[in-house]
Amino acid sequence: MRRTYTIRLEIQAVFSKKVNIRHKAKDIAGGLSLPEGWTVSKVASRCKVEREQAPPVQKPPTDEEIAIQRQLSFLREVLADLHRIRPNVTTPWLEVWPNRWCQRPYARMPRGAHAHQNSFWVVSRNPDGITTGRNWKAAKGLICINPKQILRTMQYPIDDPVNFGALNLMAHEFAHLVVPARAHRSAKFNETVEALMARYKELKAGTWTPPVIVPGWEKANPPLAPEVVHDATHQ
Protein backbone atom coordinates (compact mmCIF):
# COMPACT_ATOMS: atom_id res chain seq x y z
CA MET A 1 0.00 0.00 0.00
CA ARG A 2 1.37 3.38 -1.01
CA ARG A 3 0.77 6.49 1.03
CA THR A 4 1.59 9.99 -0.20
CA TYR A 5 2.26 12.58 2.47
CA THR A 6 2.26 16.33 1.88
CA ILE A 7 3.78 18.88 4.25
CA ARG A 8 2.96 22.52 3.68
CA LEU A 9 5.39 24.99 5.17
CA GLU A 10 4.30 28.65 5.08
CA ILE A 11 7.02 31.30 5.16
CA GLN A 12 6.10 34.98 5.51
CA ALA A 13 7.98 38.23 5.22
CA VAL A 14 6.76 41.81 5.24
CA PHE A 15 8.49 44.44 3.11
CA SER A 16 7.51 47.94 2.09
CA LYS A 17 9.21 47.46 -1.28
CA LYS A 18 8.37 45.07 -4.10
CA VAL A 19 10.14 41.67 -4.06
CA ASN A 20 10.41 39.04 -6.84
CA ILE A 21 8.61 36.42 -4.79
CA ARG A 22 8.68 33.63 -7.43
CA HIS A 23 12.46 33.56 -7.60
CA LYS A 24 12.67 33.85 -3.84
CA ALA A 25 10.34 30.86 -3.42
CA LYS A 26 12.49 28.72 -5.74
CA ASP A 27 15.66 29.76 -3.92
CA ILE A 28 14.16 28.81 -0.56
CA ALA A 29 12.88 25.49 -1.89
CA GLY A 30 16.26 24.69 -3.46
CA GLY A 31 18.09 25.43 -0.25
CA LEU A 32 16.02 23.13 1.94
CA SER A 33 17.77 20.13 3.46
CA LEU A 34 15.25 17.31 3.20
CA PRO A 35 15.52 13.79 4.60
CA GLU A 36 15.85 10.83 2.28
CA GLY A 37 12.67 10.10 0.39
CA TRP A 38 11.32 13.65 0.64
CA THR A 39 11.28 15.97 -2.39
CA VAL A 40 9.82 19.36 -3.26
CA SER A 41 6.81 18.60 -5.45
CA LYS A 42 5.39 22.09 -5.88
CA VAL A 43 6.43 25.69 -5.27
CA ALA A 44 3.67 28.26 -4.91
CA SER A 45 3.68 31.86 -3.75
CA ARG A 46 1.24 34.69 -3.22
CA CYS A 47 1.36 38.33 -2.27
CA LYS A 48 -1.21 40.35 -0.31
CA VAL A 49 -0.97 44.10 -0.59
CA GLU A 50 -2.33 46.25 2.24
CA ARG A 51 -2.28 49.97 1.89
CA GLU A 52 -1.06 51.80 4.94
CA GLN A 53 -3.64 54.30 6.15
CA ALA A 54 -2.45 57.26 8.08
CA PRO A 55 -4.34 57.78 11.34
CA PRO A 56 -7.05 60.45 11.02
CA VAL A 57 -5.90 63.85 12.10
CA GLN A 58 -8.36 65.50 14.44
CA LYS A 59 -8.31 69.20 13.87
CA PRO A 60 -8.92 71.37 16.90
CA PRO A 61 -12.28 73.17 16.82
CA THR A 62 -12.26 76.66 15.43
CA ASP A 63 -13.37 79.69 17.41
CA GLU A 64 -16.60 79.75 15.42
CA GLU A 65 -17.37 76.10 16.18
CA ILE A 66 -16.73 76.69 19.87
CA ALA A 67 -19.04 79.71 19.83
CA ILE A 68 -21.76 77.71 18.07
CA GLN A 69 -21.65 74.90 20.64
CA ARG A 70 -21.67 77.35 23.55
CA GLN A 71 -24.64 79.28 22.16
CA LEU A 72 -26.42 76.03 21.28
CA SER A 73 -26.21 74.97 24.94
CA PHE A 74 -27.71 78.30 25.97
CA LEU A 75 -30.55 77.98 23.45
CA ARG A 76 -31.32 74.51 24.78
CA GLU A 77 -31.52 75.93 28.31
CA VAL A 78 -33.96 78.60 27.11
CA LEU A 79 -36.04 75.95 25.36
CA ALA A 80 -36.07 73.79 28.51
CA ASP A 81 -37.35 76.77 30.56
CA LEU A 82 -40.09 77.40 28.01
CA HIS A 83 -41.13 73.78 28.34
CA ARG A 84 -41.30 74.24 32.12
CA ILE A 85 -43.77 77.04 31.44
CA ARG A 86 -45.90 74.82 29.18
CA PRO A 87 -45.14 71.25 30.34
CA ASN A 88 -48.27 69.82 28.73
CA VAL A 89 -46.62 70.14 25.30
CA THR A 90 -44.42 67.51 23.67
CA THR A 91 -40.87 67.77 24.97
CA PRO A 92 -38.88 69.82 22.44
CA TRP A 93 -35.30 68.99 21.40
CA LEU A 94 -32.99 71.32 19.55
CA GLU A 95 -30.43 70.10 17.00
CA VAL A 96 -28.12 71.81 14.52
CA TRP A 97 -29.30 71.50 10.93
CA PRO A 98 -28.54 69.54 8.82
CA ASN A 99 -28.88 66.42 10.96
CA ARG A 100 -29.73 62.74 10.46
CA TRP A 101 -33.36 63.17 11.54
CA CYS A 102 -34.43 66.06 9.34
CA GLN A 103 -34.80 64.85 5.74
CA ARG A 104 -37.94 66.58 4.63
CA PRO A 105 -37.74 68.55 1.37
CA TYR A 106 -38.76 71.86 2.95
CA ALA A 107 -35.96 71.49 5.50
CA ARG A 108 -33.42 71.84 2.69
CA MET A 109 -34.56 75.39 2.12
CA PRO A 110 -32.26 78.10 3.52
CA ARG A 111 -34.33 78.77 6.64
CA GLY A 112 -32.94 79.83 9.99
CA ALA A 113 -34.95 77.37 12.08
CA HIS A 114 -38.08 75.24 11.89
CA ALA A 115 -40.08 72.92 14.16
CA HIS A 116 -41.47 69.46 13.43
CA GLN A 117 -45.03 69.24 14.71
CA ASN A 118 -45.61 65.53 13.98
CA SER A 119 -43.73 62.28 14.21
CA PHE A 120 -42.10 61.17 10.99
CA TRP A 121 -40.18 58.27 9.52
CA VAL A 122 -36.47 58.70 8.91
CA VAL A 123 -34.77 56.74 6.12
CA SER A 124 -31.09 55.88 6.49
CA ARG A 125 -28.92 56.93 3.56
CA ASN A 126 -25.21 56.54 2.88
CA PRO A 127 -22.97 59.51 1.95
CA ASP A 128 -23.86 58.98 -1.73
CA GLY A 129 -27.57 59.42 -0.97
CA ILE A 130 -28.48 55.78 -1.58
CA THR A 131 -31.08 54.31 0.77
CA THR A 132 -29.65 51.58 2.99
CA GLY A 133 -33.07 50.07 3.72
CA ARG A 134 -33.18 50.94 7.42
CA ASN A 135 -35.62 53.44 8.85
CA TRP A 136 -37.01 54.43 12.22
CA LYS A 137 -39.63 56.75 13.60
CA ALA A 138 -38.43 60.04 15.07
CA ALA A 139 -40.49 61.70 17.76
CA LYS A 140 -42.14 65.01 17.11
CA GLY A 141 -40.84 68.09 18.85
CA LEU A 142 -37.59 68.31 16.88
CA ILE A 143 -36.46 71.90 16.31
CA CYS A 144 -33.72 72.36 13.71
CA ILE A 145 -31.54 75.46 13.62
CA ASN A 146 -28.97 76.61 11.10
CA PRO A 147 -25.45 77.30 12.46
CA LYS A 148 -25.58 80.78 10.96
CA GLN A 149 -28.82 81.43 12.83
CA ILE A 150 -27.16 80.31 16.06
CA LEU A 151 -24.48 82.93 15.58
CA ARG A 152 -27.10 85.56 14.73
CA THR A 153 -28.79 85.06 18.09
CA MET A 154 -25.56 86.22 19.74
CA GLN A 155 -25.55 89.54 17.89
CA TYR A 156 -28.90 90.87 19.10
CA PRO A 157 -30.72 91.24 22.44
CA ILE A 158 -32.29 88.06 23.75
CA ASP A 159 -35.84 89.31 23.18
CA ASP A 160 -35.28 91.09 19.86
CA PRO A 161 -38.46 90.38 17.85
CA VAL A 162 -37.13 91.75 14.55
CA ASN A 163 -33.81 89.92 14.30
CA PHE A 164 -34.89 86.84 16.28
CA GLY A 165 -32.97 87.05 19.52
CA ALA A 166 -32.35 83.86 21.46
CA LEU A 167 -35.55 84.05 23.53
CA ASN A 168 -37.70 85.27 20.68
CA LEU A 169 -36.51 82.55 18.33
CA MET A 170 -36.99 79.72 20.84
CA ALA A 171 -40.42 81.03 21.85
CA HIS A 172 -41.34 81.31 18.17
CA GLU A 173 -40.39 77.70 17.36
CA PHE A 174 -41.83 76.33 20.61
CA ALA A 175 -45.11 78.11 19.84
CA HIS A 176 -45.43 75.92 16.73
CA LEU A 177 -45.68 72.95 19.12
CA VAL A 178 -48.06 74.73 21.50
CA VAL A 179 -50.51 75.84 18.81
CA PRO A 180 -49.82 73.59 15.78
CA ALA A 181 -51.22 74.37 12.35
CA ARG A 182 -51.15 78.09 13.09
CA ALA A 183 -49.69 80.56 10.59
CA HIS A 184 -47.12 83.15 11.62
CA ARG A 185 -49.66 85.94 11.12
CA SER A 186 -52.25 84.24 13.30
CA ALA A 187 -53.26 86.27 16.34
CA LYS A 188 -53.29 83.11 18.47
CA PHE A 189 -49.74 82.27 17.43
CA ASN A 190 -48.38 85.74 18.16
CA GLU A 191 -50.18 85.86 21.52
CA THR A 192 -48.59 82.53 22.45
CA VAL A 193 -45.11 83.82 21.61
CA GLU A 194 -45.63 86.97 23.69
CA ALA A 195 -47.03 84.99 26.62
CA LEU A 196 -44.09 82.58 26.59
CA MET A 197 -41.57 85.42 26.56
CA ALA A 198 -43.33 87.24 29.39
CA ARG A 199 -43.45 84.13 31.55
CA TYR A 200 -39.79 83.42 30.83
CA LYS A 201 -38.79 86.86 32.08
CA GLU A 202 -40.89 86.40 35.21
CA LEU A 203 -39.30 82.99 35.75
CA LYS A 204 -35.80 84.43 35.55
CA ALA A 205 -36.74 87.38 37.75
CA GLY A 206 -38.10 85.04 40.40
CA THR A 207 -41.59 86.55 40.39
CA TRP A 208 -43.20 83.39 39.02
CA THR A 209 -42.55 79.69 39.56
CA PRO A 210 -43.81 76.84 37.39
CA PRO A 211 -46.71 74.85 38.85
CA VAL A 212 -46.02 71.43 40.30
CA ILE A 213 -47.32 68.77 37.93
CA VAL A 214 -49.01 65.87 39.74
CA PRO A 215 -49.05 62.62 37.72
CA GLY A 216 -52.45 61.21 36.85
CA TRP A 217 -51.98 58.06 38.91
CA GLU A 218 -51.30 60.17 42.00
CA LYS A 219 -54.48 62.16 41.38
CA ALA A 220 -56.48 58.94 41.12
CA ASN A 221 -54.80 57.46 44.21
CA PRO A 222 -54.04 60.29 46.65
CA PRO A 223 -51.85 59.35 49.62
CA LEU A 224 -53.69 58.40 52.79
CA ALA A 225 -53.77 60.91 55.63
CA PRO A 226 -51.48 59.97 58.52
CA GLU A 227 -53.23 58.35 61.46
CA VAL A 228 -53.72 60.56 64.51
CA VAL A 229 -52.59 58.92 67.74
CA HIS A 230 -54.52 60.12 70.83
CA ASP A 231 -52.82 60.24 74.18
CA ALA A 232 -55.20 58.97 76.88
CA THR A 233 -53.41 60.92 79.60
CA HIS A 234 -54.65 64.26 78.20
CA GLN A 235 -58.28 63.28 77.91
Side-chain angles (χ1 to χ4, degrees), residues 9-52:
L9 178 64
E10 185 170 323
I11 301 175
Q12 289 186 350
V14 179
F15 298 99
S16 58
K17 61 181 180 180
K18 191 173 182 179
V19 177
N20 193 333
I21 189 174
R22 293 184 179 276
H23 289 175
K24 181 61 65 177
K26 292 181 180 180
D27 292 342
I28 294 175
L32 291 176
S33 179
L34 301 177
E36 184 179 356
W38 295 86
T39 59
V40 177
S41 61
K42 181 180 180 182
V43 177
S45 61
R46 65 178 185 272
C47 177
K48 181 180 180 181
V49 180
E50 296 180 354
R51 297 184 180 275
E52 298 181 356

Side-chain angles (χ1 to χ4, degrees), residues 128-150:
D128 297 330
I130 301 176
T131 303
T132 59
R134 300 189 313 172
N135 52 35
W136 67 94
K137 194 172 184 179
K140 64 180 179 180
L142 170 63
I143 297 177
C144 300
I145 183 169
N146 193 298
K148 295 182 179 179
Q149 187 65 36
I150 296 177

Side-chain angles (χ1 to χ4, degrees), residues 47-209:
C47 177
K48 181 180 180 181
V49 180
E50 296 180 354
R51 297 184 180 275
E52 298 181 356
Q53 296 182 354
V57 179
Q58 295 183 353
K59 298 181 180 179
T62 63
D63 294 340
E64 181 176 293
E65 291 174 344
I66 294 175
I68 288 175
Q69 290 300 322
R70 186 183 299 113
Q71 184 67 3
L72 180 64
S73 299
F74 173 69
L75 294 175
R76 285 171 174 166
E77 292 177 1
V78 173
L79 191 60
D81 287 332
L82 294 175
H83 188 238
R84 292 174 59 195
I85 297 172
R86 294 295 297 268
N88 59 329
V89 182
T90 302
T91 303
W93 45 302
L94 181 66
E95 295 292 339
V96 179
W97 182 85
N99 53 63
R100 65 191 184 97
W101 299 281
C102 183
Q103 297 180 353
R104 292 188 176 183
Y106 75 83
R108 297 188 178 94
M109 299 176 64
R111 295 186 177 184
H114 59 264
H116 294 261
Q117 301 176 2
N118 302 303
S119 297
F120 52 95
W121 287 96
V122 178
V123 180
S124 297
R125 303 179 187 276
N126 60 16
D128 297 330
I130 301 176
T131 303
T132 59
R134 300 189 313 172
N135 52 35
W136 67 94
K137 194 172 184 179
K140 64 180 179 180
L142 170 63
I143 297 177
C144 300
I145 183 169
N146 193 298
K148 295 182 179 179
Q149 187 65 36
I150 296 177
L151 296 175
R152 281 179 56 86
T153 59
M154 302 171 59
Q155 303 175 8
Y156 303 100
I158 187 173
D159 56 349
D160 191 333
V162 178
N163 299 295
F164 283 109
L167 174 58
N168 184 271
L169 179 61
M170 292 296 97
H172 179 96
E173 299 304 332
F174 185 63
H176 282 298
L177 306 178
V178 177
V179 284
R182 292 280 183 172
H184 291 167
R185 297 182 180 180
S186 169
K188 181 66 175 179
F189 179 84
N190 294 326
E191 291 174 1
T192 303
V193 174
E194 295 296 333
L196 289 171
M197 294 176 61
R199 280 298 190 192
Y200 177 87
K201 295 177 181 178
E202 294 175 0
L203 176 64
K204 291 303 179 181
T207 58
W208 179 82
T209 55

